Amino acid sequence: MSDQNYDVEQDVATFFTKTTVTRSACDLRATELVDSGLQLVPVQGACSYTVYAGSELGSVIQFRLESLALPLETMELAHQVYGTLAPEVALKGQIGEDYDDGREALVVYVMPRMQGISRLDFILAYGFPEDTPKNCDARLTLIKDAAT
Amino acid sequence: MSSFFALSWKSPQILEQAQLDKLQQEYERDLRSLLLALPPRFHDAIRRCLQALPSIMALPIVLAHKDFGDFNMLVDPDTCHLLGVIDWAEAKLEPFGLNLYAVENLMSKFHLRNGASRYPDYNTLYFTFWQTLKAEIGPDLSDAEIHTVRSAMLLGFLLDRGFTSRLANMSEPVPISDDDREGAYNMLVLDSFLSRAETKFPFLTDMY
């Protein structure tokens, strides 16, 4: 998301109120799982905490609330059907524990960082004016890829 | 180069008959509740889906991404080739076509108050999409089968926009109503693609 009003730290803070695990524990686990390097993914969700890590920040480490763990069978099937279009997700165990106050443990996943930028960012960066030959080509390219 | 919809057609999945029956019952129940809840201008589209339901259920069952939107598609910054798709957690097995309406977003843009408007090259994009899809999934598909695929697309569109959110951690979806902001927005989406002459799905009026 390229909204200038978006405050990623706010999302991160909200997320860590829902879990018994601290942010630094997550960051530590991330660097244990892959080599050096750590960078916050610029868009965060309310139900997960996600960082880039590893050499050249080529891996994505995601920590999700246990109640919203990824359906691994679906993720595997997606990779089978859609190949490199769908990331290959590996489960790397759990950290923390559930507390009576509703705070949850986290499930840890590692996946390769995917190439490219979101279509939203593409449009914001290059999408105007809309009717240039370059933008018409871009739309045609994407719609053919989507169909194929 | 990457690909998306035809690829899913080419990897059909298996659902047991009991699961297929359950899906069909859910679709039918949802369509009937839309018939009660939505204004008459949407009833033709709903009835078309009800009528097509048995043929829709006979389409290949595929793993369908349920949120193929601008946040979730990753493209090459130079060429706009599709490089990846994220957010697969909500993907599900269902008949081919239910999530196809997402491509409308690649040919139109959407304004919060004014609704959809088409890109200047809409006709080329629409034609290219269906030509490419047809060439990939079966050049010998009959017009009737294409009609069914489009009915499936219509069904997916109605189930998505006619109801409140279907996200996993939300409450049970119910038909939308005009009197809250989200409902009014969804109504605008329905109107744009089902009833407004300038932007409705072309296959609802034309034969092409």
Side-chain angles (χ1 to χ4, degrees), chain A residues 70-71 77-78 81-82 85-87 114-120 122 126 130 136 139-141 143 145-148, chain B residues 1 3-6 8 13 63 70 73-75 77 81-85 88-89 105 107 109 119 121 128-129 133:
Chain A
L70 289 175
L77 187 57
V81 172
Y82 295 92
L85 275 189
M114 298 178 84
Q115 296 302 304
I117 60 172
S118 77
R119 179 176 184 247
L120 183 70
F122 183 92
Y126 315 109
E130 285 163 352
C136 291
R139 283 193 290 271
L140 196 60
T141 298
I143 211 149
D145 284 357
T148 306
Chain B
M1 201 212 288
S3 46
F4 198 64
F5 286 108
S8 70
Q13 307 294 316
L63 182 72
D70 290 345
M73 35 184 116
L74 299 176
V75 300
H81 271 301
L82 184 64
L83 296 181
V85 181
W88 289 91
N105 171 54
M107 331 180 197
K109 59 218 146 121
Y119 283 119
D121 48 340
T128 305
F129 178 78
L133 185 69

Side-chain angles (χ1 to χ4, degrees), chain B residues 118-130:
Chain B
R118 294 174 168 183
Y119 283 119
D121 48 340
Y122 181 92
N123 289 344
T124 308
L125 295 170
Y126 181 85
F127 182 78
T128 305
F129 178 78
W130 286 99

